[in-house]
Every structure is written in structure tokens, then in C-alpha cells.
Coordinates of all heavy atoms in Angstrom, one line a residue:
M1 N 0.9 -1.2 0.0 CA 0.0 0.0 0.0 C 0.9 1.2 0.0 O 1.8 1.4 0.8 CB -0.9 0.0 1.2 CG -2.1 0.8 1.0 SD -3.4 0.6 2.4 CE -2.6 1.6 3.7
E2 N 0.6 2.1 -0.9 CA 1.4 3.3 -1.0 C 1.0 4.4 0.0 O -0.3 4.6 0.3 CB 1.3 3.9 -2.4 CG 2.6 4.3 -2.9 CD 2.6 4.7 -4.5 OE1 2.5 3.7 -5.2 OE2 2.6 5.9 -4.7
Q3 N 1.9 5.1 0.6 CA 1.6 6.0 1.6 C 1.8 7.4 1.2 O 2.8 7.9 0.8 CB 2.6 5.8 2.9 CG 2.1 4.7 3.8 CD 1.5 5.4 5.1 OE1 1.8 6.5 5.4 NE2 0.8 4.6 5.9
D4 N 0.7 8.2 1.1 CA 0.7 9.6 0.7 C 0.9 10.4 2.0 O 0.1 10.2 2.9 CB -0.7 9.9 0.1 CG -0.7 11.4 -0.3 OD1 0.2 12.1 0.1 OD2 -1.6 11.8 -1.1
P5 N 1.9 11.1 2.0 CA 2.3 11.9 3.3 C 1.1 12.8 3.8 O 0.8 13.0 4.9 CB 3.5 12.8 2.9 CG 4.0 12.2 1.7 CD 2.9 11.4 1.0
M6 N 0.3 13.3 2.8 CA -0.8 14.1 3.1 C -1.9 13.3 3.7 O -2.8 13.9 4.3 CB -1.4 14.8 1.8 CG -0.3 15.7 1.1 SD 0.3 17.0 2.3 CE -1.1 18.0 2.4
Q7 N -1.9 12.0 3.7 CA -2.9 11.1 4.2 C -2.7 10.7 5.5 O -3.5 10.0 6.2 CB -3.1 9.9 3.3 CG -3.6 10.3 1.9 CD -5.0 10.9 1.9 OE1 -5.9 10.5 2.6 NE2 -5.2 12.1 1.2
I8 N -1.5 11.0 6.1 CA -1.2 10.6 7.4 C -2.1 11.4 8.4 O -2.0 12.6 8.4 CB 0.3 10.8 7.8 CG1 1.1 9.8 6.9 CG2 0.5 10.5 9.3 CD1 2.6 10.1 7.1
P9 N -2.9 10.6 9.2 CA -3.8 11.4 10.1 C -3.0 12.0 11.2 O -2.0 11.5 11.7 CB -4.7 10.3 10.6 CG -4.0 9.0 10.4 CD -3.0 9.2 9.3
I10 N -3.5 13.1 11.8 CA -2.8 13.7 12.9 C -3.8 13.7 14.0 O -5.1 13.7 13.8 CB -2.4 15.2 12.7 CG1 -3.5 16.1 12.3 CG2 -1.3 15.2 11.6 CD1 -3.2 17.5 12.3
C11 N -3.3 13.5 15.2 CA -4.1 13.5 16.4 C -5.0 14.8 16.5 O -4.4 15.8 16.4 CB -3.3 13.3 17.6 SG -4.2 13.4 19.1
Q12 N -6.2 14.6 16.7 CA -7.1 15.8 16.7 C -7.1 16.4 18.1 O -8.0 17.3 18.5 CB -8.6 15.4 16.3 CG -8.6 15.1 14.8 CD -8.3 16.3 14.0 OE1 -8.8 17.4 14.1 NE2 -7.3 16.1 13.0
S13 N -6.1 16.1 18.9 CA -6.0 16.8 20.2 C -4.7 17.5 20.3 O -4.6 18.6 20.8 CB -6.1 15.7 21.3 OG -5.7 16.2 22.6
C14 N -3.5 16.7 19.9 CA -2.3 17.3 20.1 C -1.6 17.6 18.8 O -0.5 18.2 18.7 CB -1.4 16.4 20.9 SG -0.9 14.9 20.2
G15 N -2.1 17.1 17.6 CA -1.4 17.3 16.3 C -0.4 16.3 15.9 O 0.3 16.6 14.9
M16 N -0.1 15.3 16.8 CA 0.9 14.4 16.5 C 0.5 13.5 15.2 O -0.6 13.0 15.2 CB 1.2 13.5 17.6 CG 2.3 12.5 17.3 SD 2.6 11.3 18.8 CE 1.6 9.9 18.2
P17 N 1.4 13.4 14.3 CA 1.1 12.4 13.1 C 1.1 11.0 13.6 O 1.9 10.6 14.4 CB 2.3 12.6 12.2 CG 3.1 13.8 12.7 CD 2.8 13.9 14.1
M18 N 0.1 10.3 13.2 CA -0.1 8.9 13.6 C 0.2 8.0 12.5 O -0.6 7.9 11.5 CB -1.5 8.7 14.2 CG -1.8 9.6 15.3 SD -3.4 9.4 16.2 CE -4.5 10.1 14.9
E19 N 1.4 7.4 12.4 CA 1.9 6.6 11.2 C 1.7 5.2 11.3 O 1.6 4.4 10.5 CB 3.3 7.1 10.9 CG 3.4 8.5 10.6 CD 4.9 8.9 10.3 OE1 5.4 8.3 9.5 OE2 5.4 9.9 10.9
V20 N 1.8 4.7 12.7 CA 1.7 3.3 12.8 C 0.6 3.0 13.8 O 0.1 3.9 14.5 CB 3.0 2.7 13.4 CG1 4.2 2.9 12.4 CG2 3.5 3.3 14.7
A21 N 0.2 1.7 13.9 CA -1.0 1.4 14.7 C -0.8 1.7 16.1 O -1.8 2.2 16.7 CB -1.3 -0.1 14.6
E22 N 0.4 1.7 16.6 CA 0.6 1.9 18.0 C 0.4 3.4 18.4 O 0.3 3.8 19.6 CB 2.1 1.5 18.4 CG 2.3 0.0 18.4 CD 2.5 -0.6 17.1 OE1 3.1 0.0 16.2 OE2 1.8 -1.6 16.8
D23 N 0.5 4.3 17.3 CA 0.4 5.6 17.6 C -1.1 6.0 18.0 O -1.3 7.0 18.6 CB 0.7 6.5 16.4 CG 2.2 6.5 16.1 OD1 3.0 6.1 17.0 OD2 2.6 6.8 15.0
F24 N -2.0 5.2 17.6 CA -3.5 5.6 17.8 C -3.9 5.3 19.2 O -3.5 4.3 19.8 CB -4.3 4.8 16.8 CG -4.1 5.3 15.4 CD1 -3.2 4.7 14.6 CD2 -5.0 6.2 14.8 CE1 -2.9 5.1 13.3 CE2 -4.8 6.6 13.5 CZ -3.8 6.1 12.8
G25 N -4.7 6.1 19.7 CA -5.4 5.8 21.0 C -6.3 4.6 20.9 O -6.7 4.1 19.9
T26 N -6.8 4.2 22.1 CA -7.7 3.1 22.2 C -9.0 3.4 22.7 O -9.2 4.2 23.7 CB -7.1 1.9 23.1 OG1 -6.7 2.5 24.3 CG2 -5.9 1.3 22.4
D27 N -10.1 2.9 22.1 CA -11.4 3.1 22.7 C -11.7 2.1 23.8 O -10.9 1.1 24.0 CB -12.4 2.8 21.5 CG -12.5 4.1 20.6 OD1 -12.2 5.3 21.1 OD2 -12.7 3.9 19.4
L28 N -12.9 2.2 24.4 CA -13.2 1.3 25.5 C -13.3 -0.1 25.1 O -12.9 -1.0 25.9 CB -14.6 1.7 26.0 CG -14.7 2.5 27.4 CD1 -16.2 2.6 27.8 CD2 -13.9 1.7 28.4
D29 N -13.6 -0.4 23.9 CA -13.7 -1.8 23.4 C -12.3 -2.3 23.0 O -12.3 -3.4 22.4 CB -14.8 -1.9 22.3 CG -14.5 -1.0 21.1 OD1 -13.4 -0.4 21.1 OD2 -15.3 -0.9 20.3
G30 N -11.3 -1.5 23.2 CA -10.0 -2.0 22.8 C -9.6 -1.7 21.4 O -8.4 -2.0 21.0
R31 N -10.5 -1.2 20.6 CA -10.2 -0.8 19.2 C -9.4 0.4 19.2 O -9.4 1.2 20.1 CB -11.5 -0.6 18.4 CG -12.2 -1.9 18.2 CD -13.3 -1.7 17.2 NE -14.0 -2.9 17.1 CZ -15.2 -3.0 16.2 NH1 -15.4 -2.0 15.5 NH2 -15.8 -4.1 16.1
K32 N -8.7 0.6 18.1 CA -7.9 1.8 17.8 C -8.9 3.0 17.5 O -9.8 2.8 16.7 CB -7.0 1.7 16.7 CG -5.9 0.6 17.0 CD -4.9 1.2 18.0 CE -3.9 0.1 18.4 NZ -3.1 0.5 19.6
N33 N -8.6 4.1 18.0 CA -9.4 5.3 17.8 C -8.6 6.0 16.6 O -7.5 6.2 16.7 CB -9.5 6.2 18.9 CG -10.3 7.4 18.7 OD1 -9.9 8.3 18.0 ND2 -11.6 7.4 19.2
K34 N -9.4 6.4 15.6 CA -8.7 7.0 14.4 C -8.4 8.5 14.5 O -7.8 9.1 13.7 CB -9.6 6.7 13.1 CG -9.7 5.3 12.8 CD -10.5 5.1 11.5 CE -10.4 3.7 10.9 NZ -11.2 2.8 11.8
E35 N -9.0 9.1 15.6 CA -8.8 10.5 15.6 C -7.8 11.0 16.7 O -7.3 12.2 16.5 CB -10.2 11.2 15.9 CG -11.2 11.0 14.8 CD -12.4 11.9 15.1 OE1 -13.0 11.7 16.2 OE2 -12.8 12.6 14.2
Y36 N -7.6 10.2 17.7 CA -6.7 10.6 18.7 C -5.6 9.7 18.9 O -5.7 8.5 18.8 CB -7.5 10.8 20.0 CG -8.6 11.8 19.9 CD1 -9.9 11.5 19.9 CD2 -8.3 13.2 19.7 CE1 -10.9 12.5 19.8 CE2 -9.2 14.2 19.6 CZ -10.5 13.8 19.7 OH -11.6 14.7 19.5
C37 N -4.4 10.2 19.4 CA -3.2 9.4 19.5 C -3.2 8.7 20.9 O -4.0 9.0 21.8 CB -2.0 10.2 19.5 SG -1.6 11.2 20.9
Q38 N -2.2 7.8 21.1 CA -2.3 7.0 22.3 C -1.9 7.8 23.5 O -2.2 7.4 24.7 CB -1.2 5.9 22.1 CG 0.3 6.4 21.9 CD 1.3 5.4 22.2 OE1 1.2 4.7 23.2 NE2 2.5 5.6 21.5
Y39 N -1.3 9.0 23.4 CA -0.9 9.8 24.5 C -2.2 10.7 24.9 O -2.2 11.1 26.2 CB 0.2 10.8 24.1 CG 1.5 10.1 23.6 CD1 1.8 10.1 22.3 CD2 2.2 9.4 24.5 CE1 2.8 9.4 21.8 CE2 3.3 8.6 24.1 CZ 3.7 8.6 22.8 OH 4.7 7.9 22.3
C40 N -3.1 10.9 24.0 CA -4.2 11.7 24.4 C -5.5 10.9 24.7 O -6.3 11.3 25.4 CB -4.6 12.7 23.2 SG -3.3 13.8 22.9
W41 N -5.6 9.7 24.2 CA -6.8 8.9 24.2 C -6.5 7.5 24.7 O -5.8 6.8 23.9 CB -7.5 9.0 22.9 CG -8.9 8.5 22.8 CD1 -9.3 7.2 22.4 CD2 -10.1 9.1 23.2 NE1 -10.6 7.1 22.5 CE2 -11.2 8.2 22.9 CE3 -10.4 10.4 23.7 CZ2 -12.5 8.6 23.2 CZ3 -11.6 10.8 24.0 CH2 -12.7 9.8 23.7
Q42 N -7.0 7.1 25.8 CA -6.8 5.7 26.3 C -8.1 5.2 26.8 O -8.7 5.9 27.7 CB -5.8 5.7 27.4 CG -4.3 5.8 26.9 CD -3.9 4.6 26.1 OE1 -4.3 3.5 26.4 NE2 -2.9 4.8 25.2
N43 N -8.5 4.0 26.5 CA -9.7 3.4 26.9 C -11.0 4.3 26.9 O -11.8 4.3 27.8 CB -9.5 3.0 28.5 CG -8.4 2.0 28.6 OD1 -8.2 1.1 27.8 ND2 -7.5 2.2 29.6
G44 N -11.1 4.9 25.7 CA -12.3 5.8 25.5 C -12.4 7.1 26.1 O -13.5 7.7 26.1
E45 N -11.2 7.5 26.7 CA -11.3 8.9 27.2 C -10.0 9.6 27.1 O -8.9 9.0 27.0 CB -11.8 8.9 28.7 CG -10.9 8.1 29.6 CD -11.5 8.1 31.0 OE1 -12.6 8.6 31.3 OE2 -10.7 7.8 31.9
F46 N -10.0 10.9 27.3 CA -8.8 11.7 27.2 C -8.0 11.4 28.4 O -8.5 11.4 29.6 CB -9.1 13.2 27.1 CG -9.7 13.6 25.8 CD1 -10.9 14.1 25.7 CD2 -8.9 13.6 24.7 CE1 -11.4 14.5 24.5 CE2 -9.3 13.9 23.4 CZ -10.7 14.4 23.4
T47 N -6.7 11.3 28.3 CA -5.7 11.0 29.4 C -5.6 12.2 30.3 O -5.5 12.1 31.5 CB -4.4 10.5 28.9 OG1 -3.9 11.6 28.0 CG2 -4.5 9.2 28.1
A48 N -5.7 13.4 29.6 CA -5.5 14.6 30.4 C -6.7 15.4 30.2 O -6.9 15.9 29.1 CB -4.2 15.4 30.0
K49 N -7.5 15.6 31.2 CA -8.7 16.4 31.0 C -8.4 17.8 31.4 O -8.3 18.3 32.5 CB -9.9 15.9 31.9 CG -10.3 14.5 31.4 CD -11.2 13.9 32.4 CE -11.6 12.5 32.0 NZ -10.3 11.6 32.2
M50 N -8.1 18.7 30.4 CA -7.8 20.1 30.6 C -8.3 20.9 29.5 O -8.6 20.4 28.4 CB -6.3 20.2 30.8 CG -5.4 19.6 29.7 SD -3.7 19.8 29.9 CE -3.2 18.7 31.1
E51 N -8.3 22.2 29.8 CA -8.7 23.2 28.8 C -7.5 23.5 27.9 O -6.4 23.3 28.2 CB -9.2 24.5 29.4 CG -10.5 24.2 30.4 CD -11.6 23.8 29.6 OE1 -11.9 24.3 28.5 OE2 -12.4 22.8 30.0
L52 N -7.8 24.1 26.8 CA -6.8 24.4 25.8 C -5.6 25.2 26.3 O -4.5 24.8 26.0 CB -7.4 25.1 24.6 CG -6.5 25.5 23.4 CD1 -5.7 24.2 22.9 CD2 -7.2 26.1 22.2
P53 N -5.7 26.3 27.0 CA -4.6 27.0 27.5 C -3.6 26.1 28.3 O -2.4 26.3 28.1 CB -5.2 28.1 28.4 CG -6.6 28.3 27.9 CD -7.0 26.9 27.5
E54 N -4.2 25.4 29.2 CA -3.3 24.4 30.0 C -2.7 23.4 29.1 O -1.5 23.1 29.3 CB -4.3 23.7 31.0 CG -3.5 23.1 32.1 CD -4.5 22.4 33.1 OE1 -5.7 22.6 33.1 OE2 -3.9 21.6 33.8
F55 N -3.4 22.9 28.1 CA -2.9 21.9 27.2 C -1.8 22.5 26.4 O -0.8 21.8 26.1 CB -4.0 21.4 26.3 CG -3.6 20.2 25.5 CD1 -3.6 18.9 26.1 CD2 -3.2 20.2 24.1 CE1 -3.2 17.8 25.3 CE2 -2.8 19.1 23.5 CZ -2.8 17.9 24.1
I56 N -1.9 23.7 26.0 CA -0.8 24.5 25.2 C 0.4 24.5 26.1 O 1.6 24.2 25.6 CB -1.2 25.9 24.8 CG1 -2.3 25.8 23.6 CG2 -0.1 26.7 24.3 CD1 -2.9 27.1 23.2
E57 N 0.3 24.8 27.3 CA 1.5 24.9 28.3 C 2.2 23.5 28.3 O 3.4 23.4 28.2 CB 1.0 25.3 29.6 CG 0.6 26.7 29.7 CD 1.6 27.7 29.1 OE1 2.8 27.7 29.4 OE2 1.1 28.6 28.4
T58 N 1.4 22.4 28.3 CA 1.9 21.1 28.4 C 2.6 20.8 27.2 O 3.8 20.2 27.2 CB 0.7 20.1 28.7 OG1 0.0 20.5 29.7 CG2 1.3 18.7 28.8
Q59 N 2.1 21.1 26.1 CA 2.7 20.8 24.8 C 4.0 21.6 24.6 O 5.0 21.1 24.1 CB 1.8 21.1 23.6 CG 0.6 20.2 23.5 CD 1.0 18.8 23.3 OE1 0.8 17.9 24.3 NE2 1.5 18.4 22.2
V60 N 4.0 22.8 25.1 CA 5.2 23.7 24.9 C 6.3 23.1 25.8 O 7.5 23.0 25.4 CB 4.9 25.2 25.4 CG1 6.2 26.0 25.6 CG2 4.0 25.8 24.4
K61 N 5.9 22.6 27.0 CA 6.9 22.0 27.9 C 7.5 20.8 27.2 O 8.8 20.5 27.3 CB 6.2 21.6 29.2 CG 7.1 21.4 30.4 CD 6.2 21.5 31.6 CE 7.1 21.4 32.9 NZ 7.6 20.1 33.2
I62 N 6.7 19.9 26.6 CA 7.2 18.7 25.9 C 8.1 19.1 24.8 O 9.2 18.5 24.7 CB 6.0 17.8 25.5 CG1 5.2 17.3 26.6 CG2 6.6 16.7 24.5 CD1 3.9 16.6 26.3
A63 N 7.7 20.0 24.0 CA 8.5 20.4 22.8 C 9.9 21.0 23.2 O 10.8 20.7 22.5 CB 7.7 21.4 22.0
T64 N 9.9 21.8 24.3 CA 11.2 22.4 24.7 C 12.0 21.3 25.4 O 13.2 21.3 25.1 CB 11.0 23.6 25.6 OG1 10.1 23.3 26.7 CG2 10.2 24.8 24.8
E65 N 11.4 20.6 26.3 CA 12.2 19.7 27.1 C 12.6 18.4 26.4 O 13.7 17.9 26.6 CB 11.5 19.3 28.4 CG 11.4 20.5 29.4 CD 10.6 20.2 30.7 OE1 10.2 19.1 30.8 OE2 10.5 21.2 31.4
K66 N 11.7 17.8 25.6 CA 11.9 16.5 24.9 C 12.4 16.7 23.6 O 13.2 15.9 23.0 CB 10.6 15.7 25.0 CG 10.1 15.4 26.4 CD 9.9 14.0 26.7 CE 9.7 13.7 28.1 NZ 8.3 13.7 28.6
L67 N 12.0 17.7 22.9 CA 12.3 17.8 21.4 C 13.4 18.9 21.2 O 13.9 19.1 20.1 CB 11.1 18.1 20.6 CG 9.9 17.2 20.7 CD1 8.7 17.6 19.9 CD2 10.4 15.8 20.3
G68 N 13.7 19.7 22.3 CA 14.7 20.7 22.2 C 14.3 21.9 21.4 O 15.2 22.6 20.9
M69 N 13.0 22.2 21.3 CA 12.6 23.3 20.5 C 12.8 24.6 21.4 O 12.8 24.5 22.6 CB 11.1 23.2 20.2 CG 10.8 22.4 18.9 SD 9.1 22.2 18.6 CE 8.8 23.9 17.7
L70 N 12.9 25.7 20.8 CA 12.9 27.0 21.6 C 11.5 27.3 22.0 O 10.5 27.0 21.3 CB 13.4 28.1 20.6 CG 14.8 28.0 20.1 CD1 15.1 29.1 19.1 CD2 15.8 28.1 21.2
E71 N 11.5 27.9 23.2 CA 10.1 28.1 23.8 C 9.2 29.0 22.9 O 8.0 28.6 22.7 CB 10.2 28.7 25.2 CG 8.8 28.8 25.8 CD 8.8 29.2 27.3 OE1 9.8 29.0 27.9 OE2 7.8 29.6 27.7
D72 N 9.7 30.0 22.4 CA 8.9 30.9 21.5 C 8.4 30.2 20.3 O 7.2 30.4 19.9 CB 9.7 32.1 21.0 CG 10.0 33.1 22.1 OD1 9.4 32.9 23.2 OD2 10.7 34.0 21.9
E73 N 9.3 29.3 19.7 CA 8.9 28.6 18.6 C 7.8 27.6 18.9 O 6.8 27.4 18.2 CB 10.1 27.9 18.0 CG 10.0 27.2 16.6 CD 11.2 26.5 16.2 OE1 12.3 26.6 17.0 OE2 11.2 25.7 15.3
A74 N 8.0 26.9 20.0 CA 7.1 25.8 20.4 C 5.7 26.4 20.7 O 4.7 25.9 20.4 CB 7.6 25.1 21.7
R75 N 5.8 27.6 21.4 CA 4.5 28.2 21.7 C 3.8 28.7 20.5 O 2.5 28.6 20.4 CB 4.8 29.4 22.7 CG 3.6 30.1 23.3 CD 4.0 31.1 24.3 NE 4.8 30.5 25.4 CZ 4.2 29.8 26.5 NH1 2.9 29.8 26.5 NH2 5.0 29.3 27.4
L76 N 4.5 29.3 19.5 CA 3.9 29.7 18.3 C 3.2 28.5 17.5 O 2.1 28.6 17.1 CB 4.9 30.3 17.4 CG 4.3 30.9 16.1 CD1 3.6 32.2 16.3 CD2 5.5 31.3 15.1
V77 N 3.9 27.4 17.5 CA 3.4 26.2 16.9 C 2.1 25.7 17.6 O 1.1 25.5 17.0 CB 4.4 25.1 16.8 CG1 3.7 23.7 16.3 CG2 5.5 25.5 15.8
A78 N 2.2 25.6 18.9 CA 1.0 25.2 19.6 C -0.1 26.1 19.6 O -1.3 25.7 19.4 CB 1.5 25.0 21.2
E79 N 0.1 27.3 19.6 CA -1.0 28.4 19.6 C -1.6 28.5 18.2 O -2.8 28.9 18.1 CB -0.5 29.7 20.1 CG -0.3 29.7 21.6 CD 0.2 31.1 22.1 OE1 0.6 31.9 21.3 OE2 0.2 31.2 23.4
T80 N -0.9 28.2 17.1 CA -1.5 28.2 15.9 C -2.1 26.9 15.4 O -3.1 26.9 14.7 CB -0.5 28.6 14.7 OG1 0.7 27.9 14.9 CG2 -0.1 30.1 15.0
T81 N -1.5 25.8 15.9 CA -2.1 24.5 15.3 C -3.2 23.9 16.2 O -4.2 23.5 15.7 CB -1.0 23.4 15.1 OG1 -0.3 23.3 16.4 CG2 0.0 23.9 14.0
L82 N -3.0 24.0 17.6 CA -3.9 23.3 18.4 C -5.4 23.8 18.4 O -6.3 22.9 18.3 CB -3.4 23.4 19.9 CG -2.1 22.6 20.2 CD1 -1.7 22.7 21.6 CD2 -2.3 21.1 19.7
P83 N -5.6 25.1 18.3 CA -7.1 25.6 18.3 C -7.8 25.0 16.9 O -9.0 25.0 17.0 CB -7.0 27.1 18.2 CG -5.6 27.4 18.8 CD -4.7 26.2 18.4
E84 N -7.0 24.6 15.9 CA -7.6 24.1 14.7 C -8.1 22.6 14.8 O -9.0 22.2 14.0 CB -6.6 24.1 13.5 CG -6.1 25.5 13.3 CD -7.0 26.4 12.6 OE1 -7.9 25.9 11.9 OE2 -7.0 27.6 13.0
L85 N -7.7 22.0 15.8 CA -8.0 20.5 16.0 C -9.4 20.3 16.5 O -9.9 21.2 17.4 CB -6.9 19.9 16.8 CG -5.5 20.0 16.2 CD1 -4.5 19.5 17.2 CD2 -5.4 19.3 14.9
K86 N -9.9 19.2 16.3 CA -11.3 18.9 16.6 C -11.7 19.0 18.1 O -12.7 19.5 18.4 CB -11.7 17.4 16.1 CG -13.1 17.1 16.3 CD -13.4 15.6 15.7 CE -14.7 15.2 16.3 NZ -14.9 13.8 16.0
R87 N -10.7 18.6 18.9 CA -10.9 18.5 20.3 C -11.2 20.0 20.9 O -11.9 20.1 21.9 CB -9.7 17.9 21.1 CG -10.0 17.9 22.6 CD -8.8 17.2 23.3 NE -8.9 17.3 24.7 CZ -8.1 16.9 25.6 NH1 -6.9 16.4 25.1 NH2 -8.2 17.0 26.9
W88 N -10.5 20.9 20.2 CA -10.6 22.3 20.8 C -11.5 23.2 20.1 O -11.6 24.4 20.3 CB -9.1 22.8 20.8 CG -8.1 21.9 21.3 CD1 -7.1 21.2 20.7 CD2 -8.0 21.5 22.7 NE1 -6.5 20.4 21.5 CE2 -7.0 20.6 22.8 CE3 -8.7 21.8 23.8 CZ2 -6.7 19.9 24.0 CZ3 -8.4 21.3 25.1 CH2 -7.4 20.3 25.2
Q89 N -12.3 22.7 19.1 CA -13.3 23.5 18.4 C -14.3 23.8 19.4 O -14.9 22.8 20.0 CB -13.8 22.8 17.2 CG -12.7 22.4 16.1 CD -12.3 23.7 15.3 OE1 -13.1 24.4 15.0 NE2 -11.0 23.8 15.1
K90 N -14.7 25.0 19.5 CA -15.9 25.4 20.3 C -17.2 24.8 19.6 O -17.4 24.9 18.5 CB -16.0 26.9 20.5 CG -14.8 27.4 21.3 CD -15.1 27.3 22.8 CE -14.0 27.7 23.7 NZ -13.2 26.7 24.3
Q91 N -18.0 24.2 20.5 CA -19.3 23.7 20.0 C -20.2 24.7 19.5 O -20.3 25.7 20.2 CB -19.9 22.7 21.1 CG -19.0 21.7 21.5 CD -18.5 20.7 20.4 OE1 -19.4 20.3 19.6 NE2 -17.3 20.4 20.3
Ligands
ZN1 ZN1 -2.6 13.3 20.8

């Protein structure tokens, strides 16, 4: 099966690309959830129940500490991409 990079789904909570089965979160019935990654979605619920501003802080922390991004850069990415994702869309 050919992989189109544009077709790689991203987590609708944190924006992480989900390329392999292990990247996907799990629903209550143990099936893979197609919208959220394993870090955000486990057993049918969000692993971290927080509002967007708090989630942005968490993501910035991960990006700077684990990925070595500059804080300004990480914050800009988080603030521009996260509000676009399904989880953070206002109903
Ligand atoms: Zn995620």
C-alpha cells in the first residue's frame, strides 16, 4: 500500500502524526481510535482532562524539554495549530 504523506492522520487533540497502529489511542472496546493518539486517548477517554490554555502549556513543555525546541517557537506552533484541531473546536 502506498503512503501519501498528506494522508497521514494527525491526532485531533495534540497534532501528532499517527503513522503506525501503536500511535493511535484506544477506545473502551480496545479498538484503535482513528482521531486521537495513544498519548491523548486511552480506553475511550482523554488521558489529560484540561482546557486548551493548559494543554498548550503542556505541549510547549514537551516540545522544549523533549524535542529541544525553542520556547517561542514551540508556543507559536502550539497556539496556531492546536485551536484548529477537533478537540478544541468550540461547539
Ligand atoms: Zn494526541
Side-chain angles (χ1 to χ4, degrees):
M1 202 171 77
E2 226 169 283
Q3 277 252 344
D4 181 344
M6 299 303 289
Q7 295 298 312
I8 294 175
I10 60 168
C11 172
Q12 290 300 307
S13 166
C14 71
M16 183 184 97
M18 300 183 290
E19 301 180 51
V20 296
E22 290 75 46
D23 289 341
F24 292 87
T26 51
D27 285 331
L28 253 188
D29 58 10
R31 290 191 186 180
K32 295 292 176 187
N33 184 283
K34 293 187 173 64
E35 294 190 306
Y36 299 113
C37 77
Q38 59 158 330
Y39 303 107
C40 295
W41 190 259
Q42 285 289 333
N43 303 317
E45 60 178 15
F46 288 115
T47 54
K49 295 172 186 65
M50 49 176 81
E51 299 297 318
L52 182 56
E54 194 183 345
F55 192 77
I56 286 175
E57 293 307 315
T58 307
Q59 292 301 107
V60 169
K61 203 162 183 284
I62 292 171
T64 52
E65 290 178 4
K66 302 233 167 92
L67 307 177
M69 278 176 84
L70 296 172
E71 183 170 343
D72 286 352
E73 189 185 349
R75 188 170 300 278
L76 184 69
V77 170
E79 286 178 348
T80 51
T81 58
L82 296 179
E84 302 289 321
L85 301 172
K86 187 179 164 188
R87 179 179 178 186
W88 310 110
Q89 300 284 317
K90 292 277 176 255
Q91 302 301 313

